[in-house]
Amino acid sequence: MKTPLQITFRDIPHSDALDTHIREKVQKLEQVFADIISCRVVVEQPAKHHQQGKPFNVRIDLGVPGSEIVVDKQQNEDAYVALRDAFDAAKRQLEDYARQL
């Protein structure tokens, strides 16, 4: 990756375990498509009063040659499940992009 990975936690404290988990998931994406230019991951837990529990939102922005792949609003009350779903969606989009090339 040409640009360092950016991981942002919003409305939640920084977690070394989540940070490590995200880095492992990004390495797996790089195995699918080696020419990723940049990657930004945002994990947030906005306060929502109309629901029980507070779901985690995950957004992934992948910069690839000539395009950008965005996965937004993968929600789950478990941060790891939200990350898994978001990275699965990113992987599918990355595979589709690689096939088009």
Side-chain angles (χ1 to χ4, degrees):
M1 198 173 335
K2 293 180 183 175
T3 307
L5 171 63
Q6 297 176 356
I7 301 172
T8 305
F9 294 94
R10 287 190 190 142
D11 301 323
I12 59 172
H14 181 271
S15 164
D16 288 337
L18 280 177
D19 189 281
T20 301
H21 188 70
I22 290 168
R23 291 179 189 282
E24 290 169 358
K25 292 283 194 180
V26 170
Q27 285 179 347
K28 289 181 182 177
L29 287 181
E30 288 183 303
Q31 292 172 1
V32 171
F33 188 78
D35 293 333
I36 296 174
I37 297 169
S38 64
C39 181
R40 290 182 304 278
V41 180
V42 178
V43 180
E44 63 183 347
Q45 190 177 34
K48 292 190 176 184
H49 299 288
H50 65 276
Q51 293 181 355
Q52 281 192 326
K54 294 180 183 178
F56 288 90
N57 295 337
V58 177
R59 177 184 171 99
I60 303 171
D61 296 300
L62 292 172
V64 293
S67 187
E68 186 171 45
I69 294 172
V70 178
V71 175
D72 195 14
K73 300 297 182 189
Q74 297 296 321
Q75 294 185 346
N76 196 291
E77 289 186 15
D78 183 332
Y80 290 95
V81 173
L83 282 167
R84 181 200 65 203
D85 292 347
F87 276 96
D88 286 350
K91 181 181 176 190
R92 284 191 301 272
Q93 289 185 37
L94 206 51
E95 288 170 342
D96 289 346
Y97 176 79
R99 274 193 292 274
Q100 289 174 2
L101 289 182

